Amino acid sequence: QVQLVESGGGLVQAGGSLRLSCAGSGRTFRRFAMAWFRQAPGKDREFVAVIIWDSGSTNYADSVKGRFTISREFAKNTVYLQMNNLKPEDTAVYYCALKSTFLSKYDYWGQGTQVTVSS
């Protein structure tokens, strides 16, 4: 069974920074892409950023472009989300997810980590 474990969330003032980590473990698993999603109270879960594991290509939601950076570290099976210039509207539970193949949905999800940005 594949497990994804997020860490790095917390409370930060507006304009501050946080770095989230998502470590994958378990049986050998295929990775086409890994992504970050978030869900604010009373809202649907939304896409934040994705990275193609082999190529390193990335894509971002418009709301975070220029502020957030997704990256990965092969040796540690870990994906990161560097979040700068945080805004109160970034407050949410952040989830990482794994997409095994190009055609698959996101097969595995982490448990989530809370990010709270105070004004």
Side-chain angles (χ1 to χ4, degrees):
Q1 183 69 17
V2 175
Q3 288 186 323
L4 301 177
V5 179
E6 300 102 334
S7 61
L11 174 64
V12 64
Q13 289 187 330
S17 298
L18 285 174
R19 189 177 82 153
L20 305 183
S21 301
C22 173
S25 64
R27 63 175 176 83
T28 300
F29 53 92
R30 299 173 65 183
R31 279 165 297 204
F32 173 74
M34 292 189 73
W36 289 94
F37 292 79
R38 66 187 182 185
Q39 187 167 21
K43 294 188 177 181
D44 293 334
R45 185 170 58 195
E46 65 174 359
F47 166 79
V48 175
V50 63
I51 186 165
I52 305 303
W53 192 257
D54 288 340
S55 69
S57 296
T58 60
N59 194 29
Y60 297 90
D62 288 343
S63 59
V64 306
K65 280 181 182 176
R67 301 188 297 122
F68 291 10
T69 302
I70 188 171
S71 61
R72 85 279 197 238
E73 186 171 355
F74 286 113
K76 294 185 177 181
N77 291 326
T78 297
V79 64
Y80 302 98
L81 186 68
Q82 178 66 45
M83 305 185 294
N84 297 328
N85 190 22
L86 283 160
K87 304 176 180 180
E89 52 264 42
D90 294 318
T91 295
V93 177
Y94 284 71
Y95 299 90
C96 70
L98 167 68
K99 188 176 171 69
S100 299
T101 69
F102 175 74
L103 294 177
S104 70
K105 296 180 179 180
Y106 285 95
D107 308 270
Y108 300 98
W109 293 80
Q111 82 287 351
T113 186
Q114 176 71 47
V115 171
T116 303
V117 185
S118 63
S119 56

